[in-house]
Amino acid sequence: MTTSLTLLPPALVLILGALFLPLLRGGIRSAALLLLPLVTLWLVWSLPDGATLRMSFLGYELLPLKVDKLSRLFALVFAIMAFAGALFALRQPRTVELVAAFAYAGSAIGAVMAGDLISLFVFWEIMAIGSTLVILSAGGGARRAAFRYAIMHFIGGVLLMAGIAGEIQATGSVAFSAMDASTPARGLMLAGFLINAGAPPLSAWLSDAYPESSWSGMVFLSAFTTKTAVYTLIRGFPGTEILIPVGLFMVFYGIIYAILENDMRRILAYSIVNQVGFMVTGVGIGTEMALNGAAAHAFTHIIYKALLLMSAGSVLLMTGKRKCTDLGGLFRTMPLTCVSGIIGALAISSFPLTSGFVSKSMIAQGAADQHLMLVWLALAAASAGVFLHAGIKFPWFVFFQKDSGLRPVEPPVNMRAAMVLLAAFCIGIGVAPGPLYALLPYAVDYVPYTAAHVVFQLQLLLFSGLAFFLLLDLLKRTLTITLDSDWLWRRPGAKLLRAFDQVSVSGWDALVRASMGGAGWLARTLRSTHGPEGLLGGPWPTGTMALWATVMLGAYLILSYV
Amino acid sequence: MSDPIKPDGDSDHWLVRPATIRRLWIVSGVVLAVTVLLDLVVEHHPHFGIDGTFGFGAWFGFAACVAMVLFAKLVGMVLKRPDTYYDN
């Protein structure tokens, strides 16, 4: 009885449950919002290892529910995130956002538990639709951003689908397991995964679209798409060397753009790319240590990034402002939001005793074990850079900096509770990493808290902080954006599209005119002979009929006498 | 500490008073010095050599941040636009 109940696909609880949300009101709606993720969490936790569901589709055997340590780790943190996000968004009046967010979270869980490529693709596309709707539901300027977001993700989906089709055609198998990027089809799959991870050259979809979502929407958005992509890379392409330079590029791209950014949530969006870059680098290194590090870092990152975005979302909701130049000094009236933001900022910076410290350092250890000195140095420099662009910059410009004169009150109690919950996770995992390590895909042979490591990390971070305050003049925020690759499709791309539109419209017009001309001649000719005025068309007048009948009868008479 | 009234008559949070900020700089300086001096007592296990230099985390982290801020400044010179750029 319980066995059959626990075999229910956890993804479906959220996806189908979401459809009932619009029917619910008040306390029942709140209860459903909190219970659906909790039931999902319980189901994920109690599913046994192995494939527990088999389906047949077009002659292929699908395994839509296949569990191992890696998929369980990601599904667990996705379910935790769905709960924390729902708690934070409890008072979000736009139910469509919550429906979309639950379908999005559910399909992310479905994607990481998919045992075959076809199931993975189906959940992948539901994620694209769900996340687009989360952005779209914010209305206003978010609509255009959502449209651009959808196009990028459907391009990614097409690449992935083409790759999957090629892979199935070549191998005859729909299994999703570790592979090398040696065939064009696998290259396409890798490209599809990397687009969702926020890798270059299309990474701008993330910083373009996410910050346009609502105060609660971005909390959900930050968690699922990029981390599902990290999961697929760990599962499908571990040790693929190209991922090391790609990941390092993402790491530094995120830092540089975040340093230049003025919008507090766009800073955090660039910082998502930065953090996913660490994970992608770890997948590229590909040892058990590095893969454990990438998986652990995905887990901790989802939690502290959501915490940072809850802090930013609270500020956005209570002040209506999102630019650093408009904010500052909010620590006076929003102490809990401020402290939560600081805890998230310390965790993202891998400060000792926070979750980031115990996860990110495994990736660096992986590089050191493989004697990759340049990679290790780049990761160390980037760790300092994370403190600079997110760890200090976000709390400093939002909560300190200057007195903006704003005196917003703390957000409602459910939002505060969500922040306290995630802050507790950040510190709890940092103080006692054992339970997280036990969940990782490979056995952990790593001790994060050695005196040498703690001292090194403190030096790195504190001197990064010193650099921040010494260079504060260079870091002053301005009312600017920094052009990114989205410029390509928002300016020349849009122009090209308009030009194509004009050419195709005028070409079509010419074609229509030409064919109208030809058809017109035919029509006119037919009309002149068969039309109402035509010789052969139209009703003939009775008089004429009678006349011609008389003429013919007369002719007949004459002929009969001849 | 005892006088929360600033010269212009505006009371402000103790955290943003000049005296507090001066104290914060002093305390930070001491903490920074201590973290570097800890290298004298903590035994490091360098993987490459360069990471075994004295105060490696400190000087490398600082230099990396300065380099990144200056590089960002350069990128900004080329790619910065008013934030209304896409509005029209």
Side-chain angles (χ1 to χ4, degrees):
Chain A
M1 182 71 188
T2 22
T3 0
S4 62
L5 193 63
T6 52
L7 289 181
L8 197 68
L12 291 187
V13 174
L14 278 181
I15 296 174
L16 298 180
L19 301 177
F20 292 97
L21 289 177
L23 308 174
L24 308 176
R25 293 282 176 277
I28 300 177
R29 175 181 184 265
S30 302
L33 279 170
L34 297 177
L35 280 176
L36 285 171
L38 285 179
V39 170
T40 308
L41 183 63
W42 175 69
L43 287 173
V44 169
W45 185 253
S46 39
L47 270 176
D49 276 11
T52 46
L53 198 62
R54 283 166 202 277
M55 289 163 60
S56 195
F57 175 75
L58 297 178
Y60 295 109
E61 196 189 21
L62 306 190
L63 307 170
L65 192 59
K66 191 178 170 200
V67 184
D68 62 6
K69 290 191 90 169
L70 183 64
S71 52
R72 184 181 289 114
L73 177 79
F74 277 83
L76 273 178
V77 72
F78 286 168
I80 292 171
M81 202 36 241
F83 174 77
L87 179 60
F88 185 75
L90 221 46
R91 295 171 198 230
Q92 172 58 261
R94 297 188 193 93
T95 303
V96 63
E97 179 189 302
L98 299 171
V99 173
F102 270 27
Y104 175 38
S107 51
I109 292 174
V112 298
M113 292 192 146
D116 66 275
L117 292 167
I118 295 175
S119 309
L120 172 70
F121 180 75
V122 169
F123 285 118
W124 194 266
E125 291 302 294
I126 303 176
M127 277 175 67
I129 297 166
S131 52
T132 302
L133 287 176
V134 171
I135 302 168
L136 196 64
S137 65
R143 292 212 185 102
R144 298 172 77 93
F147 187 64
R148 290 191 293 271
Y149 174 90
I151 289 175
M152 286 304 129
H153 284 274
F154 291 138
I155 290 174
V158 167
L159 292 178
L160 180 60
M161 187 176 172
I164 289 174
E167 174 73 8
I168 295 175
Q169 208 253 334
T171 63
S173 156
V174 294
F176 180 35
S177 49
M179 50 194 146
D180 50 19
S182 55
T183 66
R186 289 174 175 180
L188 287 173
M189 286 168 67
L190 182 60
F193 293 154
L194 281 174
I195 285 182
N196 269 26
L202 299 184
S203 50
W205 63 260
L206 203 157
S207 55
D208 174 25
Y210 282 3
E212 303 305 318
S213 58
S214 78
W215 52 268
S216 57
M218 193 167 169
V219 173
F220 290 107
L221 291 165
S222 71
F224 304 116
T225 301
T226 48
K227 259 60 74 183
T228 307
V230 168
Y231 158 83
T232 57
L233 291 174
I234 295 176
R235 169 86 68 205
F237 294 98
T240 304
E241 278 184 13
I242 182 75
L243 293 177
I244 297 178
V246 169
L248 289 178
F249 180 90
M250 292 167 72
V251 162
F252 288 103
Y253 155 88
I255 294 172
I256 300 298
Y257 272 78
I259 286 176
L260 291 166
E261 186 52 54
N262 187 31
D263 182 316
M264 64 171 169
R265 292 204 305 169
R266 196 163 285 142
I267 292 172
L268 296 177
Y270 284 124
S271 135
I272 295 176
V273 180
N274 159 272
Q275 292 294 302
V276 173
F278 280 99
M279 300 165 212
V280 171
T281 308
V283 180
I285 295 169
T287 59
E288 290 192 355
M289 174 71 78
L291 294 174
N292 265 347
H297 203 49
F299 190 100
T300 58
H301 172 260
I302 286 172
I303 291 172
Y304 58 67
K305 184 47 65 68
L307 177 58
L308 282 163
L309 284 164
M310 285 178 178
S311 177
S314 301
V315 169
L316 178 65
L317 177 68
M318 305 315 287
T319 67
K321 298 191 187 303
R322 47 192 273 192
K323 293 176 186 171
C324 291
T325 39
D326 295 335
L327 294 164
L330 301 187
F331 76 94
R332 293 176 180 82
T333 53
M334 300 182 90
L336 187 125
T337 307
C338 170
V339 169
S340 303
I342 290 174
I343 291 173
L346 291 175
I348 197 172
S349 310
S350 301
F351 226 86
L353 300 181
T354 66
S355 55
F357 181 76
V358 302
S359 58
K360 193 164 72 184
S361 44
M362 295 170 88
I363 300 174
Q365 187 64 43
D369 292 345
Q370 296 303 104
H371 312 293
L372 302 168
M373 184 172 88
L374 288 179
V375 176
W376 186 85
L377 285 175
L379 290 174
S383 293
V386 173
F387 197 42
L388 188 78
H389 86 271
I392 309 182
K393 182 174 175 175
F394 169 73
W396 171 256
F397 280 107
V398 173
F399 296 107
F400 302 99
Q401 188 201 174
K402 61 177 190 322
D403 186 1
S404 60
L406 298 168
R407 293 290 184 271
V409 292
E410 292 274 17
V413 63
N414 62 299
M415 295 168 70
R416 299 203 297 271
M419 288 191 278
V420 169
L421 174 71
L422 292 193
F425 266 109
C426 286
I427 294 173
I429 295 171
V431 172
L436 173 63
Y437 284 177
L439 290 168
L440 296 182
Y442 303 102
V444 175
D445 177 25
Y446 181 67
V447 182
Y449 289 106
T450 64
H453 184 208
V454 171
V455 167
F456 167 72
Q457 190 70 8
L458 283 177
Q459 285 181 0
L460 201 67
L461 296 181
L462 294 178
F463 277 82
S464 159
L466 177 68
F468 179 88
F469 286 105
L470 290 180
L471 300 174
L472 207 49
D473 272 350
L474 290 176
L475 295 164
K476 281 255 159 59
R477 295 324 325 133
T478 48
L479 289 168
T480 51
I481 56 163
T482 312
L483 296 186
D484 200 339
S485 55
D486 60 339
W487 180 81
L488 289 173
W489 55 87
R490 293 175 78 172
R491 282 300 158 97
K495 267 195 190 128
L496 207 67
L497 206 65
R498 270 195 293 275
F500 175 74
D501 193 40
Q502 255 166 18
V503 168
S504 57
V505 164
S506 55
W508 175 250
D509 282 350
L511 188 72
V512 167
R513 269 197 304 278
S515 50
M516 286 290 274
W521 172 84
L522 188 66
R524 275 193 304 279
T525 313
L526 283 174
R527 194 182 169 87
S528 66
T529 53
H530 290 76
E533 311 291 320
L535 200 59
L536 303 172
W540 292 350
T542 331
T544 320
M545 284 287 287
L547 174 71
W548 282 106
T550 315
V551 169
M552 283 167 82
L553 275 172
Y556 180 72
L557 268 172
I558 291 163
L559 283 174
S560 61
Y561 284 107
V562 172
Chain B
M1 282 297 280
S2 56
D3 181 17
I5 308 295
K6 282 205 299 191
D8 60 358
D10 184 18
S11 76
D12 207 345
H13 199 279
W14 64 269
L15 198 57
V16 294
R17 280 179 220 147
T20 319
I21 290 170
R22 200 166 50 245
R23 265 181 223 126
L24 282 174
W25 271 108
I26 294 167
V27 171
S28 306
V30 171
V31 171
L32 289 171
V34 168
T35 56
V36 176
L37 292 175
L38 278 174
D39 264 7
L40 295 173
V41 287
V42 168
E43 192 190 344
H44 284 280
H45 309 282
H47 295 279
F48 306 109
I50 187 177
D51 50 335
T53 53
F54 181 70
F56 172 73
W59 69 259
F60 185 75
F62 187 83
C65 284
V66 172
M68 282 184 278
V69 170
L70 294 179
F71 183 69
K73 208 72 192 160
L74 281 178
V75 170
M77 280 178 191
V78 183
L79 294 178
K80 262 192 179 187
R81 295 290 183 279
D83 59 7
T84 52
Y85 179 77
Y86 286 118
D87 293 351
N88 40 48

